[in-house]
Amino acid sequence: MSILVTGATGTIGSLITHGLASAGADVTAFVRTRGKVSFPDGVTEVVGDLTDVPSMRAAFSSVRTLFLLNAVTPDELTQALIALNLAREAGIERIVYLSVIHADKFTNVPHFTGKYTVERMIESLGIPATILRPAYFMQNEFMVQKAIEDYGVYPMPIGGAGVSMIDARDIAEIAVAELLRRDRAPSALATVTLDLVGPQTLTGTSVAQAWSAALGRDVVYAGDDVAAFEGQMAAFGPSWLAYDMRLMMAGIQTFGMQAAEGAIAPLESILGHPLRTYENFVREATTKA
């Protein structure tokens, strides 16, 4: 019986797939197109789609443990609820679900409320799971790195309430640890929820300062204008996604994105090393560039 990883070709899913393979686990990567990325030896690819029930039933037939990641799409909630129902139908009782921090607080943000609905389904049906609730990914900055370097402006309107950004590599390592813990347990384990955060509270201004230090020249924060941000997003992608991201940024400015006091130590205990800092991430990003 294998561990099935959905979203296996994405940023988090590919890291998890490699991490599980390195740990000697029997891993199956759920992909839309075979051969799109290079997986480690021993990883089995199964082709399917989260909106295609027969392909999911076939994929779940030899699975003991499931990593469920649903990308931000118009039908994200439908995909997740169908996947959990089919997992339950297949008798899968070892699940790690990737949600988002403050899913219950950002109630007007479509993909936050969608993930919170999935959390409620997990709770109401008593599905044994680890719910991972990550804050803003540091790797999101790759989307705006060229703008930062070319124009000296940090354009993401994250405001000043404070965001505990987390490195995707730390998210993946924690997910791998939880998948292995559940997969290797003699029986289904109790449901747990983990807020995944980085070790620092960052603002638009402090983030710009980190880029200034790494680049050796001034980088300024572009400000809190979420309407302008929506317009920039809509120029490169679908309008529904641009609006969803605008609502998220407005929520970040209002509420921040931080975990409760005492959250760092348990995460570092799972990792076995300190959480990666934003400054180190930026230094790595600028060195590679």
Side-chain angles (χ1 to χ4, degrees):
M1 301 293 284
S2 71
I3 301 174
L4 181 71
V5 179
T6 66
T9 60
T11 300
I12 298 294
S14 61
L15 289 169
I16 290 172
T17 303
H18 281 75
L20 289 171
S22 296
D26 183 359
V27 190
T28 300
F30 190 72
V31 299
R32 288 186 177 182
T33 305
R34 193 179 302 278
K36 181 179 177 181
V37 301
S38 178
F39 290 115
D41 291 342
V43 174
T44 302
E45 287 185 277
V46 58
V47 177
D49 192 288
L50 290 170
T51 61
D52 181 61
V53 171
S55 70
M56 292 177 67
R57 278 200 172 108
F60 286 173
S61 64
S62 59
V63 169
R64 177 168 59 195
T65 305
L66 170 65
F67 175 72
L68 181 60
L69 181 158
N70 298 97
V72 179
T73 61
D75 60 352
E76 174 184 357
L77 177 57
T78 298
Q79 290 182 26
L81 297 185
I82 288 175
L84 284 174
N85 275 300
L86 291 174
R88 197 161 176 254
E89 177 185 293
I92 299 171
E93 293 185 324
R94 302 154 193 263
I95 292 174
V96 174
Y97 172 62
L98 192 72
S99 184
V100 65
I101 197 170
H102 304 327
D104 54 338
K105 186 180 292 186
F106 288 49
T107 54
N108 66 324
V109 182
H111 77 278
F112 277 63
T113 290
K115 293 183 189 302
Y116 185 52
T117 302
V118 177
E119 291 187 16
R120 288 169 57 204
M121 177 183 176
I122 290 170
E123 179 183 6
S124 66
L125 296 181
I127 299 171
T130 296
I131 298 168
L132 301 178
R133 300 176 114 199
Y136 191 95
F137 295 9
M138 292 180 191
Q139 279 70 14
N140 290 342
E141 310 291 56
F142 290 142
M143 296 184 294
V144 296
Q145 183 174 352
K146 191 172 189 307
I148 296 169
E149 293 177 344
D150 289 353
Y151 301 104
V153 174
Y154 178 72
M156 306 299 274
I158 63 172
V163 181
S164 299
M165 293 190 197
I166 182 167
D167 195 298
R169 292 168 292 185
D170 288 336
I171 298 172
E173 287 184 32
I174 291 169
V176 166
E178 281 299 295
L179 286 163
L180 293 174
R181 183 175 74 90
R182 289 187 175 276
D183 190 64
R184 293 170 176 174
S187 60
L189 302 174
T191 294
V192 296
T193 300
L194 295 172
D195 283 349
L196 305 187
V197 293
Q200 305 155 282
T201 301
L202 301 162
T203 66
T205 300
S206 66
V207 163
Q209 290 170 347
W211 285 96
S212 295
L215 294 171
R217 60 181 185 273
D218 286 343
V219 175
V220 299
Y221 175 51
D224 297 347
D225 189 341
V226 294
F229 173 73
E230 179 191 356
Q232 292 163 0
M233 289 281 294
F236 299 99
S239 59
W240 67 265
L241 180 59
Y243 187 59
D244 191 311
M245 294 299 106
R246 170 185 176 161
L247 294 172
M248 180 184 74
M249 288 298 177
I252 289 174
Q253 290 180 16
T254 301
F255 300 111
M257 220 179 222
Q258 303 172 40
E261 185 177 349
I264 299 300
L267 299 181
E268 294 186 335
S269 177
I270 294 171
L271 288 168
H273 62 73
L275 287 154
R276 293 170 171 90
T277 67
Y278 188 79
E279 287 82 4
N280 282 340
F281 165 78
V282 172
R283 279 195 293 270
E284 288 180 20
T286 52
T287 300
K288 290 176 182 177

